[in-house]
């Protein structure tokens, strides 16, 4: 999980640095994407904590999944980039599967969620 947060922090720095060479519209989109990737990574970390806690807190897991959903919806509405759209769709599918698992009393597949969050971070990193 620290790998995701470090990658997303790097994405924000790179997006900010790109200001000198990119148009304002492109920069705004890159920053929106990078900032959303950071927020999603934080929500994924919250979900990881909820499902790995001793008592496994399904309510907390659902709340984390809801936050991820809201962030993905927001990013999906803002982007016209095909790679970002695919990464959002992949993470959304992983989140829906996780929600089904939590509702069924099973542990969600965190590896799939982590992999999809990593991919979102990668496509949100300019350059």
């Amino acid at each position: 999980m620290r790998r995701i947060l470090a990658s997303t922090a790097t994405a924000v720095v790179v997006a900010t640095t790109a200001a000198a060479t990119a148009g304002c519209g492109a920069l705004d989109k890159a920053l929106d994407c990078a900032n959303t990737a950071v927020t999603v990574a934080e929500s994924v970390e919250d979900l990881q904590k909820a499902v790995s806690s001793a008592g496994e807190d399904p309510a907390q897991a659902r709340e984390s999944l809801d936050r991820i959903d809201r962030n993905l919806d927001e990013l999906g509405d803002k982007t016209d980039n095909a790679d970002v759209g695919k990464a959002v769709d992949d993470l959304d599918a992983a989140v829906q599967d996780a929600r089904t698992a939590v509702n069924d009393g099973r542990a969600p597949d965190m590896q799939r969620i982590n992999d999809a969050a990593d991919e979102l971070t990668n496509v949100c990193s300019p350059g």
Side-chain angles (χ1 to χ4, degrees):
M1 191 74 253
R2 291 180 199 266
R3 176 175 48 107
I4 293 172
L5 290 176
S7 296
T8 53
T10 300
V12 171
V13 170
V14 171
T16 303
T17 304
T21 60
C24 289
L27 176 63
D28 287 344
K29 284 183 181 182
L31 283 172
D32 283 345
C33 188
N35 286 331
T36 300
V38 169
T39 303
V40 167
E42 290 168 350
S43 297
V44 169
E45 185 175 17
D46 290 344
L47 175 62
Q48 181 70 48
K49 288 176 186 173
V51 299
S52 67
S53 66
E56 187 174 333
D57 185 352
Q60 182 61 41
R62 284 185 196 96
E63 186 178 312
S64 295
L65 290 166
D66 289 345
R67 273 195 310 273
I68 296 169
D69 270 340
R70 284 190 300 272
N71 292 320
L72 291 176
D73 287 346
E74 184 179 312
L75 181 58
D77 291 345
K78 288 182 181 179
T79 190
D80 57 0
N81 180 294
D83 291 334
V84 172
K86 181 177 180 338
V88 166
D89 290 345
D90 289 349
L91 184 52
D92 184 57
V95 166
Q96 297 316 314
D97 287 348
R99 185 179 305 283
T100 298
V102 168
N103 289 339
D104 291 346
R106 297 180 286 115
D109 181 357
M110 289 306 300
Q111 186 60 49
R112 183 172 176 210
I113 291 173
N114 288 333
D115 290 347
D118 278 345
E119 182 59 22
L120 179 61
T121 298
N122 290 338
V123 299
C124 284
S125 298

